[in-house]
Amino acid sequence: MHHPAFPDESQERELMELHEWLIKLEKLEIRRDRDKIPDREFEEECHSLIEESGEKIAIIQDRQIVAVTSSLSSALGYSPEDLAGTPFSRYVHPDELPRLAKYYEQRLSGLDVPVIYETILKHNNSSNVYIKILTSLFKYLKKPTNLAIIRVLAETR
């Protein structure tokens, strides 16, 4: 019998994937500091790294979308350029916003919050996009930043 306090096998795989992404991004940040890579060049390298993954990934800093893969923007009916620099809350279903805002603030404060959870985003056509999100903090340009890996579960029209 599965105990809810412990991850099941699929959650373990997802946590390992999240951990691997955090390591990749932290290594990139360390190399940026070591080699004194200009911020703009670093941002381009980071975006290339996540884009090449084929995953639905968003990097969120100061509540704004810093970078997003084309596969995620497409799943929400936008271009990556449309999403960049906009508040992530704009794409969260209104009923889910208080919970996600609370998680975000608690995560930034160092409190223990879920790393994997389900929620609802809004598509550009106003439909609901039901997702599973894997998220954790990492340093991006020396500031705490959220990495979000998104799995689309279903969409309603």
Side-chain angles (χ1 to χ4, degrees), residues 13 15-25 147:
R13 280 193 303 275
L15 289 170
M16 287 300 299
E17 180 182 357
L18 179 61
H19 182 71
E20 288 170 11
W21 270 107
L22 292 170
I23 289 171
K24 287 177 189 179
L25 292 166
L147 168 68

Side-chain angles (χ1 to χ4, degrees), residues 21 44-55 69-70:
W21 270 107
E44 289 170 3
E45 282 188 45
C46 188
H47 188 265
S48 291
L49 176 69
I50 65 170
E51 186 64 42
E52 290 169 8
S53 72
E55 295 278 356
T69 59
S70 58

Side-chain angles (χ1 to χ4, degrees), residues 27-46 141-142:
K27 283 182 177 180
L28 192 59
E29 180 78 10
I30 290 167
R31 191 172 62 80
R32 180 190 75 83
D33 288 343
R34 183 192 66 218
D35 297 345
K36 310 243 184 291
I37 297 171
D39 289 353
R40 187 70 197 137
E41 186 179 324
F42 169 75
E43 290 169 350
E44 289 170 3
E45 282 188 45
C46 188
L141 298 173
K142 299 184 180 185

Side-chain angles (χ1 to χ4, degrees), residues 72 75-76 88-101 103 117-133 150-157:
L72 177 56
L76 296 177
F88 186 73
S89 60
R90 182 179 295 173
Y91 311 99
V92 175
H93 189 282
D95 294 345
E96 290 290 294
L97 193 53
R99 179 173 66 112
L100 270 58
Y103 285 172
Y117 52 91
E118 294 181 8
T119 190
I120 307 167
L121 299 181
K122 295 302 290 181
H123 192 280
N124 190 21
N125 68 11
S126 299
S127 65
N128 293 330
V129 181
Y130 297 85
I131 65 159
K132 179 189 288 188
I133 187 167
I150 299 189
R151 306 277 192 259
V152 175
L153 302 172
E155 182 179 341
T156 62
R157 297 243 178 231

Side-chain angles (χ1 to χ4, degrees), residues 49-71:
L49 176 69
I50 65 170
E51 186 64 42
E52 290 169 8
S53 72
E55 295 278 356
K56 292 172 179 62
I57 296 176
I59 296 177
I60 303 160
Q61 186 179 69
D62 298 328
R63 296 180 189 84
Q64 304 287 311
I65 297 173
V66 174
V68 62
T69 59
S70 58
S71 60

